[in-house]
Amino acid sequence: MRLDKYLTTVTNLSRTESKRILKSNRVTVDGCHVTEPSTQVGECAQVAIDGEPLRSAAARYFMLNKPLGYVSATKDKQHLTVLEWFDEDNLDRLHIAGRLDIDTTGLLLLTDDGQWSHRVTSPKHNCNKTYWLQTVDPITDAAIEKIQQGILLDNEKRATKPATIELIDVQTARLTISEGKYHQVKRMFAAVGNKVETLHREQIGDIVLDKNLMPGEYRALTEQEIGSI
């Protein structure tokens, strides 16, 4: 990767600003001052500006315990976005792998690795998502059977894929689906005459929401978690 591109990738500097800093002899690569923007930088190179080390340009992967009241978007004119919780450079390069509604909480994955994100969200990869939910009315055996078999939702051409429901009590359940249609969980229960009152995502694939993360807190994924998708 070119050094000027590297600087724009790991900082909030523009390409023009990066070149200006390079010309001012403020950048070192592995301890040596470098001024040429086209200098190639490897993943393991130690790059610093004014002696302050910069992070690697490798792809980033995060989990957030999403709180209520925030939209799963990078920009929104009416609501606060989940990026408000992140203290990272180049936030605009992060995208959300599987959105959650503004009134849904729990596990949210963010990355700047497009191929990895696609594996999370594409129905072809059958990446399961598990939710804890509470409903307004009791969850009937008939509703469970329909949801587990698949339901044709309004404005959809195909029924949902078979789901798995673990009933915790009459109005509380743990639901696992392998898709991510618009408002899918809420629409599934609406289709059987019920309403989801509380919805919280616990797991995506083999990645489980870290119990140590309070609402609004985030952490980087481990290598094992990244490789599980």
Side-chain angles (χ1 to χ4, degrees):
M1 179 184 292
R2 285 174 55 107
L3 181 54
D4 56 351
K5 183 179 180 182
Y6 169 88
L7 292 176
T8 61
T9 299
V10 304
T11 70
N12 291 318
L13 296 170
S14 67
R15 184 69 68 91
T16 299
E17 291 169 334
S18 295
K19 290 180 178 179
R20 187 180 299 122
I21 286 177
L22 284 165
K23 287 182 179 180
S24 64
N25 204 33
R26 295 168 58 191
V27 178
T28 58
V29 178
D30 294 329
C32 299
H33 285 278
V34 179
T35 59
E36 179 53 52
S38 63
T39 300
Q40 293 295 309
V41 179
E43 286 189 5
C44 297
Q46 298 294 315
V47 183
I49 297 178
D50 297 331
E52 291 294 325
L54 301 179
R55 70 170 175 84
S56 167
R60 298 173 293 175
Y61 309 83
F62 301 107
M63 72 161 64
L64 168 74
N65 186 355
K66 178 190 172 298
L68 287 170
Y70 290 79
V71 294
S72 298
T74 55
K75 294 181 181 179
D76 191 277
K77 294 181 179 180
Q78 297 181 322
H79 303 96
L80 293 173
T81 77
V82 293
L83 292 185
E84 297 287 338
W85 296 103
F86 284 81
D87 181 19
E88 304 290 335
D89 59 70
N90 283 330
L91 286 176
D92 58 322
R93 297 186 184 224
L94 292 176
H95 55 269
I96 298 157
R99 299 172 184 270
L100 292 175
D101 298 336
I102 191 170
D103 58 351
T104 301
T105 62
L107 178 60
L108 199 65
L109 300 178
L110 295 93
T111 182
D112 47 20
D113 182 342
Q115 293 184 341
W116 189 85
S117 178
H118 180 72
R119 292 198 297 273
V120 173
T121 57
S122 174
K124 294 180 180 179
H125 292 282
N126 293 312
C127 185
N128 288 337
K129 292 88 176 173
T130 299
Y131 298 82
W132 179 94
L133 59 90
Q134 287 183 316
T135 57
V136 172
D137 299 315
I139 303 169
T140 65
D141 291 339
I144 291 174
E145 184 177 355
K146 288 180 180 179
I147 290 174
Q148 291 188 148
Q149 290 178 349
I151 299 176
L152 183 61
L153 304 176
D154 288 342
N155 302 317
E156 298 285 350
K157 295 181 179 180
R158 295 182 180 179
T160 58
K161 291 185 177 182
T164 301
I165 298 182
E166 173 194 350
L167 198 63
I168 299 172
D169 61 42
V170 292
Q171 290 172 253
T172 308
R174 183 167 283 109
L175 172 73
T176 299
I177 60 176
S178 60
E179 302 169 286
K181 297 180 186 292
Y182 181 69
H183 294 322
Q184 181 171 340
V185 175
K186 296 174 183 177
R187 292 166 67 199
M188 290 169 71
F189 277 86
V192 295
N194 207 337
K195 181 180 179 181
V196 174
E197 190 170 50
T198 305
L199 188 60
H200 176 84
R201 186 158 64 194
E202 299 178 323
Q203 184 171 347
I204 297 176
D206 291 330
I207 301 175
V208 179
L209 178 61
D210 193 327
K211 294 181 179 179
N212 292 319
L213 292 179
M214 298 297 291
E217 292 184 337
Y218 74 96
R219 69 163 173 79
L221 296 186
T222 65
E223 290 296 327
Q224 182 176 356
E225 289 169 335
I226 297 167
S228 71
I229 298 295

